[in-house]
Amino acid sequence: MCSTWTRSSGQRNIVYFQGNAYAVWERDQEIYFSETQTGTSGLWTEPVTVTGSKDESHAAIAVGPDGRLFVVIQQCINCGGSGSSSRILLLVRKTDQDPFVRLPLGDANGETGPSSQNPALAVSPDGATVYVVWSAVVGNNQEDILFQRVNPAGTGSLIDLKPKPVLESPLPEFQPAIGVAENDHVFVAWVQAVSSRDDVWATVSTDGGTAFLSPAAPVSESTGFDQKPSVVAGLPGTVHIAWEKDTCEDGCYHVAVDKGVLGTNGLTFGADEFVQSFFNPPDPDRRFYSQHNPSIAWDGANGVYIALSEVVSGQSGIFLTKSTNNGQTFGPLQSIDNDAKTAEKDYASIAVDESGRAFAVWTDARGGTSGNYVWFAQGE
């Protein structure tokens, strides 16, 4: 078991490796990066841009077992002009003395498909493969989930010479998330539009991404518009997925979580479990609060962690819930931020080390008048 690096769960904005935390985020259409300073407590380096370019968004970060950092970015081409398009970029920082440099991704021309967006990534346990997923408009002029493997050695090379669909589907698919298990099983989840609702679906590759199990498994069957899945692989043959569930069928979102098990019947999921409320724990109808943007992590044993934002009546906070029994049950929400819950907060992202210590970043309106700032906290 690799106990020093964050288990790859590719939609996160923070990772941990051998005592340091690393984070990426978007500000003014640029992607910024910072890291904790070695030998200090809670101090971060001055943020730097990852590419130095504008018109970038939707960054995610992963770390390999040797400490290499990988970042994916959605980049808009000719934004604001005629014929604007977008593509996905993959970058690597090999040592803490190196800048981020671009790795190959997409086809021979670096194209990743029309309207490419929402990238996520993960790294194989041996560090030899980077897995990237995103959505693009292909095939029937609708969004599909694309997948590509990259060998990061040297200047990088494509294992898959061009992006390929995770699974062929006649229905629109978007918002992919990815996680890789320590046996190199690759789990992918996404949102699929079905008639007048959106459901979360998932599949797995047991051969390192060569092929994915078909048909995909339903994670949620909603009567509303579920969204924003977050994925982490757990103990062998298991995967944990958290997402925003449209419980009121009118945009009233609450975080649900489910565990998938890979067995003789394929990948199957149980009943959705709702995360408890911090502000309104006795609210069975979930009408008076909302929860958003879950981020899920695993500690390598039986601990599964979910960070999220919760809002009610002008109050807002970043919270953590933990399962100590491999995702069977989750405890009450604990506050991550130290605020009086009056400032707006969102977009929590979490990483966990081998001892179960959590590291979190989020956006927070405290600190000034120019919009959100990025805040950090760690457990003990």
Side-chain angles (χ1 to χ4, degrees), residues 244-332:
E244 289 185 14
K245 191 171 185 66
D246 184 5
T247 52
C248 308
E249 302 176 33
D250 58 2
C252 180
Y253 287 106
H254 303 93
V255 171
V257 60
D258 203 348
K259 180 172 75 173
V261 178
L262 182 60
T264 56
N265 294 323
L267 183 62
T268 57
F269 289 83
D272 304 346
E273 178 182 347
F274 284 101
V275 170
Q276 299 179 36
S277 171
F278 180 85
F279 293 116
N280 283 52
D283 177 14
D285 296 327
R286 303 182 182 89
R287 282 284 178 178
F288 302 104
Y289 69 96
S290 61
Q291 297 169 330
H292 303 282
N293 294 302
S295 176
I296 194 166
W298 176 59
D299 65 9
N302 289 309
V304 183
Y305 305 70
I306 302 172
L308 54 89
S309 64
E310 182 171 296
V311 180
V312 59
S313 300
Q315 292 183 293
S316 175
I318 303 297
F319 302 97
L320 173 73
T321 180
K322 178 182 177 181
S323 169
T324 59
N325 53 15
N326 194 29
Q328 294 182 42
T329 58
F330 283 82

Side-chain angles (χ1 to χ4, degrees), residues 4 13 52 59 72 74 153 170 176 222 240 294 308 341:
T4 58
N13 294 97
V72 285
Q74 177 182 321
S222 177
H240 306 275
L308 54 89
K341 311 306 181 196

